Amino acid sequence: MRVILLGWCAVLFAHDPITTRITYSREIIRIFEKRCITCHKDGGKAPMSLAKYDEARPWAKAIKEEVLERRMPPWGAVKGFGSFQHEMGLSQEEISVIADWVEGGAPEGDAKHYPEKLSSPPPPVTKLKGIPLKLNATLVIAKPVLLTGIEPRAKSDIDSLRVIAEQPDGSVEPLLWLKNYKAVWRRQFEFRQPVALAAGSKLRVQPSGQAMLLVYTRSQ
């Protein structure tokens, strides 16, 4: 997770009843270790640490809101709409676990369940390879290509924008759905496997004209 922007202060709900078996020491710290602590640690980019229970607990309600709205971690692509290398977004199961933990009173759990050592390596740097094509509406592919990834070049934040590919046989390939995407991220989305498009395929941006994207291709 990166910076959590909130318009109100976090409040410690010390007397919430405990109604869940999900705990910080067993489930939550492992999700945070994988997805959040790269930034949410002492000296990290985020304004608060989540690496210890006493640090994370006051922010429990805010954490739930941010992950349910998929504002955190700041990945920008809707999971399941396209498949990418180095995905930073939470899975639906991870979101549900965090939400259930908060609703159940956000307990710490038994100290014996903590991992022996926290490790949160920095996210890998993506550098797309191939020939970039400019895309902000509909683009017809003249010859067979492999799509390797997409890079938004938005000048302003994007609430919602989808990129799909329509093959000549009528089949549709979901490529990328940006939601709550911040222009300052300048993120590159590399496909887990290159997407093969036949000649005559159409790349479509919905809604069109909202932002410029670079679609990287290489020959089949």
Side-chain angles (χ1 to χ4, degrees):
M1 289 183 180
R2 302 256 175 121
V3 178
I4 295 180
L5 299 177
L6 301 169
W8 46 272
C9 293
V11 179
L12 177 60
F13 294 88
H15 302 293
D16 286 358
I18 304 303
T19 59
T20 180
R21 300 183 67 170
I22 299 171
T23 66
Y24 179 88
S25 65
R26 187 172 53 219
E27 290 90 3
I28 301 303
I29 187 57
R30 287 168 172 81
I31 296 175
F32 286 176
E33 178 183 17
K34 181 180 178 183
R35 304 291 192 187
C36 312
I37 293 177
T38 295
C39 296
H40 284 275
K41 61 184 178 182
D42 291 339
K45 296 179 181 179
M48 83 290 292
S49 172
L50 302 179
K52 297 178 182 178
Y53 176 74
D54 290 344
E55 296 171 326
R57 178 60 182 85
W59 298 93
K61 299 289 186 180
I63 291 169
K64 174 192 169 188
E65 178 181 339
E66 294 295 306
V67 301
L68 285 176
E69 292 297 323
R70 291 190 178 275
R71 291 189 291 264
M72 291 290 149
W75 172 234
V78 175
K79 213 169 184 71
F81 197 95
S83 179
F84 306 100
Q85 302 271 14
H86 316 309
E87 288 197 34
M88 294 169 56
L90 293 168
S91 68
Q92 188 56 54
E93 180 182 2
E94 289 169 330
I95 291 173
S96 297
V97 168
I98 292 171
D100 290 347
W101 172 66
V102 175
E103 286 302 304
E108 179 178 13
D110 197 315
K112 71 181 182 182
H113 293 140
Y114 276 104
E116 292 185 6
K117 182 180 179 181
L118 289 180
S119 61
S120 185
V125 176
T126 299
K127 187 172 180 59
L128 293 176
K129 297 179 181 180
I131 300 172
L133 303 176
K134 292 183 178 180
L135 176 68
N136 66 0
T138 297
L139 177 67
V140 179
I141 301 299
K143 60 182 180 180
V145 295
L146 293 173
L147 302 187
T148 58
I150 299 177
E151 178 185 356
R153 288 291 182 92
K155 294 183 178 180
S156 59
D157 296 348
I158 297 173
D159 292 331
S160 181
L161 183 147
R162 302 190 195 198
V163 184
I164 64 171
E166 296 179 3
Q167 299 274 20
D169 63 4
S171 61
V172 175
E173 181 81 26
L175 299 177
L176 175 66
W177 181 2
L178 297 177
K179 194 169 184 180
N180 299 321
Y181 180 84
K182 303 297 182 183
V184 296
W185 292 345
R186 294 296 297 269
R187 195 179 308 288
Q188 293 186 326
F189 298 92
E190 181 182 7
F191 294 120
R192 193 174 298 276
Q193 296 291 336
V195 179
L197 295 183
S201 297
K202 296 178 181 179
L203 295 175
R204 296 189 185 276
V205 178
Q206 304 167 329
S208 63
Q210 183 176 344
M212 175 65 67
L213 304 105
L214 298 182
V215 180
Y216 286 78
T217 69
R218 57 183 173 86
S219 299
Q220 289 196 37

CSV table of all heavy atoms in Angstrom, one decimal, residues 24-26 29-30 33 111-118:
chain,number,residue,atom,x,y,z
A,24,TYR,N,-4.8,-10.4,13.4
A,24,TYR,CA,-3.7,-9.7,12.8
A,24,TYR,C,-2.4,-10.6,12.8
A,24,TYR,O,-1.7,-10.6,11.7
A,24,TYR,CB,-3.4,-8.4,13.6
A,24,TYR,CG,-2.2,-7.6,13.1
A,24,TYR,CD1,-2.4,-6.7,12.2
A,24,TYR,CD2,-0.9,-7.9,13.6
A,24,TYR,CE1,-1.3,-5.9,11.7
A,24,TYR,CE2,0.2,-7.1,13.2
A,24,TYR,CZ,0.0,-6.1,12.2
A,24,TYR,OH,1.0,-5.4,11.8
A,25,SER,N,-2.2,-11.3,13.8
A,25,SER,CA,-0.9,-12.1,13.9
A,25,SER,C,-0.9,-13.3,13.0
A,25,SER,O,0.1,-13.8,12.6
A,25,SER,CB,-0.7,-12.6,15.4
A,25,SER,OG,-1.8,-13.5,15.8
A,26,ARG,N,-2.1,-13.8,12.6
A,26,ARG,CA,-2.1,-15.0,11.7
A,26,ARG,C,-2.4,-14.7,10.3
A,26,ARG,O,-1.7,-15.1,9.4
A,26,ARG,CB,-3.2,-16.0,12.3
A,26,ARG,CG,-3.2,-17.3,11.6
A,26,ARG,CD,-4.1,-18.3,12.3
A,26,ARG,NE,-5.4,-17.8,12.4
A,26,ARG,CZ,-6.2,-17.9,13.5
A,26,ARG,NH1,-5.7,-18.6,14.6
A,26,ARG,NH2,-7.4,-17.4,13.6
A,29,ILE,N,-1.3,-9.7,9.1
A,29,ILE,CA,0.1,-9.3,8.9
A,29,ILE,C,0.8,-10.0,7.6
A,29,ILE,O,1.6,-9.4,7.0
A,29,ILE,CB,1.0,-9.7,10.1
A,29,ILE,CG1,2.4,-9.1,10.0
A,29,ILE,CG2,1.1,-11.2,10.4
A,29,ILE,CD1,2.4,-7.6,9.8
A,30,ARG,N,0.3,-11.1,7.3
A,30,ARG,CA,0.9,-11.8,6.1
A,30,ARG,C,0.4,-11.1,4.8
A,30,ARG,O,1.1,-11.1,3.8
A,30,ARG,CB,0.5,-13.3,6.1
A,30,ARG,CG,1.4,-14.0,7.2
A,30,ARG,CD,0.9,-15.4,7.4
A,30,ARG,NE,1.8,-16.2,8.3
A,30,ARG,CZ,1.9,-16.0,9.6
A,30,ARG,NH1,1.0,-15.2,10.2
A,30,ARG,NH2,2.8,-16.7,10.3
A,33,GLU,N,2.3,-7.9,4.7
A,33,GLU,CA,3.7,-8.1,4.4
A,33,GLU,C,3.9,-8.2,2.9
A,33,GLU,O,4.8,-7.7,2.3
A,33,GLU,CB,4.2,-9.4,5.1
A,33,GLU,CG,5.6,-9.8,4.7
A,33,GLU,CD,6.0,-11.1,5.4
A,33,GLU,OE1,5.1,-11.9,5.8
A,33,GLU,OE2,7.2,-11.4,5.4
A,111,ALA,N,0.4,-14.2,19.9
A,111,ALA,CA,1.7,-13.8,19.4
A,111,ALA,C,2.5,-15.0,18.8
A,111,ALA,O,3.4,-14.7,17.9
A,111,ALA,CB,2.6,-13.2,20.6
A,112,LYS,N,2.2,-16.2,19.1
A,112,LYS,CA,2.9,-17.3,18.5
A,112,LYS,C,2.6,-17.5,17.0
A,112,LYS,O,3.3,-18.2,16.4
A,112,LYS,CB,2.5,-18.6,19.3
A,112,LYS,CG,1.1,-19.1,19.0
A,112,LYS,CD,0.8,-20.4,19.8
A,112,LYS,CE,-0.6,-20.9,19.6
A,112,LYS,NZ,-0.9,-22.1,20.3
A,113,HIS,N,1.6,-16.9,16.5
A,113,HIS,CA,1.2,-17.0,15.1
A,113,HIS,C,2.0,-16.0,14.2
A,113,HIS,O,1.8,-16.1,13.0
A,113,HIS,CB,-0.3,-16.8,14.9
A,113,HIS,CG,-1.1,-18.0,15.5
A,113,HIS,ND1,-2.3,-17.7,16.2
A,113,HIS,CD2,-0.8,-19.3,15.6
A,113,HIS,CE1,-2.7,-18.9,16.7
A,113,HIS,NE2,-1.9,-19.8,16.3
A,114,TYR,N,2.7,-15.0,14.8
A,114,TYR,CA,3.4,-14.1,14.0
A,114,TYR,C,4.5,-14.8,13.1
A,114,TYR,O,5.1,-15.7,13.6
A,114,TYR,CB,4.1,-13.0,14.8
A,114,TYR,CG,3.2,-11.9,15.2
A,114,TYR,CD1,2.7,-11.8,16.5
A,114,TYR,CD2,2.9,-10.9,14.3
A,114,TYR,CE1,1.9,-10.7,16.9
A,114,TYR,CE2,2.1,-9.8,14.7
A,114,TYR,CZ,1.6,-9.8,16.0
A,114,TYR,OH,0.8,-8.7,16.4
A,115,PRO,N,4.7,-14.3,11.9
A,115,PRO,CA,5.8,-14.9,11.1
A,115,PRO,C,7.1,-14.5,11.8
A,115,PRO,O,7.3,-13.5,12.6
A,115,PRO,CB,5.7,-14.1,9.8
A,115,PRO,CG,4.9,-12.9,10.1
A,115,PRO,CD,4.0,-13.2,11.2
A,116,GLU,N,8.1,-15.4,11.7
A,116,GLU,CA,9.4,-15.2,12.4
A,116,GLU,C,10.1,-13.9,12.0
A,116,GLU,O,10.7,-13.3,12.8
A,116,GLU,CB,10.3,-16.4,12.1
A,116,GLU,CG,9.8,-17.7,12.7
A,116,GLU,CD,10.9,-18.8,12.6
A,116,GLU,OE1,12.0,-18.6,12.0
A,116,GLU,OE2,10.5,-20.0,12.9
A,117,LYS,N,10.0,-13.6,10.7
A,117,LYS,CA,10.6,-12.4,10.2
A,117,LYS,C,9.8,-11.8,9.0
A,117,LYS,O,9.4,-12.5,8.2
A,117,LYS,CB,12.0,-12.7,9.7
A,117,LYS,CG,12.8,-11.5,9.2
A,117,LYS,CD,14.2,-11.9,8.8
A,117,LYS,CE,15.0,-10.7,8.3
A,117,LYS,NZ,16.4,-11.1,7.8
A,118,LEU,N,9.6,-10.5,9.1
A,118,LEU,CA,8.9,-9.8,8.0
A,118,LEU,C,9.9,-9.5,6.9
A,118,LEU,O,11.0,-9.1,7.1
A,118,LEU,CB,8.3,-8.5,8.5
A,118,LEU,CG,7.1,-8.6,9.4
A,118,LEU,CD1,6.6,-7.2,9.8
A,118,LEU,CD2,6.0,-9.4,8.8
